[in-house]
Amino acid sequence: AQTVTQSQPEMSVQEAETVTLSCTYDTSENNYYLFWYKQPPSRQMILVIRQEAYKQQNATENRFSVNFQKAAKSFSLKISDSQLGDTAMYFCAFMEGSQGNLIFGKGTKLSVKP
Amino acid sequence: EPEVTQTPSHQVTQMGQEVILRCVPISNHLYFYWYRQILGQKVEFLVSFYNNEISEKSEIFDDQFSVERPDGSNFTLKIRSTKLEDSAMYFCASSEWREDEQYFGPGTRLTVT
């Protein structure tokens, strides 16, 4: 069974600094997708970024980028120029290509300090 | 921008009662999902739905749970006889295709007393 591990329960960063959140996963599949979701205090789940496993190029969305290391089964999220509004729980999620269900990690609580 | 909506935002019910949680997925999406998040824990998959039938379900999704798409817009999750441990945030999500990103609704907080 696939598993997703986020080893950092909590992190903090100063406003305008850069922070990296870690995620590792375990799968024997070759066709899969990886996601980062953000959950602010309102508890709404918001998609941050998506990566297809067959793509070597790391996904980027404005201040958010990933470091996808397929051989190491690692998928970290880098947030540049951190803003107060980035304060949230961040969940890493895995989806096997032949199925639609997301498997989530336990999350990392990120606090951005002024 | 289209969004997934869920009603009610908060539901309080007594143990043993039936509840129906409602969702309106994004209109051109074909795949629908329910997830739950017990307070302080990770988000867990319950069920996926495509072409008017369940395509995947987890071990959590037992006989007490059912899903339905009663018309062209709503997608519902029914819990027949609620238990205390069903207290959680329930999220509906939808995607255009199976491998696409899933867009989540704001959630329904279910409290079973």
Side-chain angles (χ1 to χ4, degrees), chain B residues 37-54:
Chain B
Q37 184 183 32
I38 295 171
L39 188 63
Q41 298 188 24
K42 66 178 178 180
V43 179
E44 299 173 292
F45 167 74
L46 292 178
V47 66
S48 60
F49 192 86
Y50 168 72
N51 200 26
N52 282 319
E53 58 182 32
I54 291 173

Side-chain angles (χ1 to χ4, degrees), chain B:
Chain B
E1 187 174 325
E3 57 183 20
V4 177
T5 59
Q6 290 185 243
T7 53
S9 56
H10 188 197
Q11 172 101 41
V12 181
T13 189
Q14 288 192 326
M15 196 166 53
Q17 295 296 305
E18 173 184 288
V19 294
I20 298 176
L21 310 183
R22 290 183 168 80
C23 168
V24 179
I26 294 173
S27 62
N28 65 326
H29 285 187
L30 301 177
Y31 290 82
F32 314 120
Y33 311 86
W34 283 101
Y35 293 85
R36 80 170 185 192
Q37 184 183 32
I38 295 171
L39 188 63
Q41 298 188 24
K42 66 178 178 180
V43 179
E44 299 173 292
F45 167 74
L46 292 178
V47 66
S48 60
F49 192 86
Y50 168 72
N51 200 26
N52 282 319
E53 58 182 32
I54 291 173
S55 48
E56 303 281 345
K57 61 181 181 178
S58 71
E59 292 175 353
I60 303 168
F61 194 86
D62 61 22
D63 292 344
Q64 292 299 313
F65 292 89
S66 63
V67 289
E68 195 178 35
R69 187 153 163 84
D71 53 43
S73 59
N74 288 284
F75 178 51
T76 62
L77 174 69
K78 183 195 291 186
I79 309 175
R80 286 191 185 82
S81 178
T82 50
K83 305 174 196 149
L84 293 176
E85 53 266 35
D86 293 328
S87 293
M89 193 76 156
Y90 287 81
F91 292 102
C92 174
S94 70
S95 64
E96 191 170 356
W97 300 107
R98 185 180 57 206
E99 62 273 14
D100 284 347
E101 52 266 37
Q102 295 175 21
Y103 292 89
F104 282 73
T108 292
R109 193 172 113 202
L110 177 65
T111 302
V112 182
T113 61

